[in-house]
Amino acid sequence: MTENTKKKVSVYDNVTKQFNKAADLMGLDPDIRTILSNTTNEIVVNFPVTMDDGSIKVFTGYRVQHNSVLGPYKGGLRFHPSVNIDEVRALATWMTWKTAVAHIPLGGAKGGIQLDPSQYSINELRHITRRFTFALGNNIGPEYDIPAPDVGTNAQIMAWILDTYVSMRSPQERHGASHIVTGKPIESGGSLGREKATGQGTVYVIEMWANDNNFDLSKASYFVQGFGNVGSWTAKLLKQLGSTLKAVEDATGAIFNENGLDADELAAYVEAKGGVAGFPGSTAIDHDTFLRTKADIFIPAALENQITGETAPKLNVKLVVEAANGPTSPEGGDILEERGIDALPDILVNSGGVTVSYFEWLQNKRSEYWDLEEVDAKLFKTMKRAYRKVRSTKSEYNTDWRTAAYIVALSRLATVYRERGIFP
Ligand code: GLU
């Protein structure tokens, strides 16, 4: 992970290149191309927070709203040292493509604060979150722009956003606003199955790919980058299918065991220790050795730009499954293609998270609780429909998975623009 933070790369440039490749291939209307090449709103807020020692610190928060032609803006909030306007812009844009591929009636947005959550107490994080929500004010709303968890944020942070947001409404409006955020704790209006949803959707996609390729997942080996919500859930669910987890890397280091690392034990260890380093029964390896792990599948589930022109030649796998957003640069993607490594793209693979966010939003609006079987069944149906649509588009255009997924998304957006026209 380190080499990526060293280099100044524009993640938004990566989105633009991916977008242009698909737009060229499908012959996207030039006006729609111009519209979608821009974000709609970019909100930057600077806000003061009192720290535990009584000092005051000013934080910078972002919310970028890329597009809402298919529905309200939707996307997570990231608390991480790498957050900047270029990254948030890219992540917001990917959300527009993702919701369009999943075919759910939502648009795309993303936000965040540049900070390292591990450097703050719970009390400080609560104050930062509440003050950020207050600063955003009416730039978010349950029928307008609905945040969710992302890297460095979780259900607790969503509960604080909910509470702050509704406290700023009149008493009459408060209960009608619980769908201001998704990914909430269950008792505060969250959905069953939301916590595991991104990992679950990732595993559904892997199973569909395996089925198409006569690939036995019970004999498969894989390795994962990132062991937060997405990486750990993906691994726990792949364990149930009998696949062997050979290596894991996170911000604390990389670990390896040829005979397999137990995903459930590792998740409990990470919960207690804050990272994978030192996990009993594993060997510490360096980043380069990690990337060269010989396995069937590599699952990046951390940050952007991990598979690049420099690192893609090192991979020793048949399949890359992008559980993270934007883990592959365009150069990295070209190398995977030349090397005959299939790469299932982020906007398809990790769309399970926002899909169950949509289910949570619907449950809140209808004052309903769905059981886990219902959520999982609906998620599977949505992922299957998206996978099949991308697969048929891939063969129709004789292109790679990512470009096919973009074509699916861009066709839907272009159709709506054509039907509605441009105001006035
Ligand atoms: N942060 C997740 C993503 O990148 C989930 C977004 C959401 O649920 O709104 O897709």
Side-chain angles (χ1 to χ4, degrees), residues 183-229:
K184 299 179 287 291
I186 304 294
E187 296 302 335
S188 294
S191 175
L192 292 172
R194 175 61 186 88
E195 202 203 294
K196 67 163 182 157
T198 312
Q200 181 68 77
T202 300
V203 172
Y204 285 153
V205 172
I206 295 173
E207 286 185 276
M208 291 185 275
W209 180 92
N211 197 37
D212 283 349
N213 290 278
N214 287 322
F215 184 81
D216 183 357
L217 284 172
S218 72
K219 296 197 175 70
S221 59
Y222 69 103
F223 65 111
V224 180
Q225 186 184 50
F227 217 70
N229 170 285

Side-chain angles (χ1 to χ4, degrees), residues 63 74-78 91 95 98 106 109-110 146-151 182-183 194 198 325 350-351 353-358:
R63 186 70 178 170
K74 185 82 190 83
L77 290 176
R78 180 173 290 198
L91 291 163
M95 286 308 302
K98 197 185 300 187
L106 294 168
K110 200 75 154 213
I146 306 112
D150 195 78
V151 176
T182 57
R194 175 61 186 88
T198 312
N325 290 310
N350 72 36
S351 61
V354 72
T355 298
V356 178
S357 274
Y358 167 55

Side-chain angles (χ1 to χ4, degrees), residues 99 115 120 140 183 187 192 205 208 311 315 338 341 374 378 409:
T99 50
L115 61 74
Y120 297 92
I140 57 171
E187 296 302 335
L192 292 172
V205 172
M208 291 185 275
T311 58
L315 295 181
E338 280 161 28
I341 299 173
E374 185 173 356
K378 286 194 158 91

Side-chain angles (χ1 to χ4, degrees), residues 121-142:
S121 69
I122 290 288
N123 189 43
E124 288 169 334
L125 282 174
R126 187 174 65 238
H127 287 302
I128 294 166
T129 303
R130 284 188 178 280
R131 191 62 202 234
F132 180 37
T133 310
F134 177 76
L136 286 173
N138 280 339
N139 288 301
I140 57 171

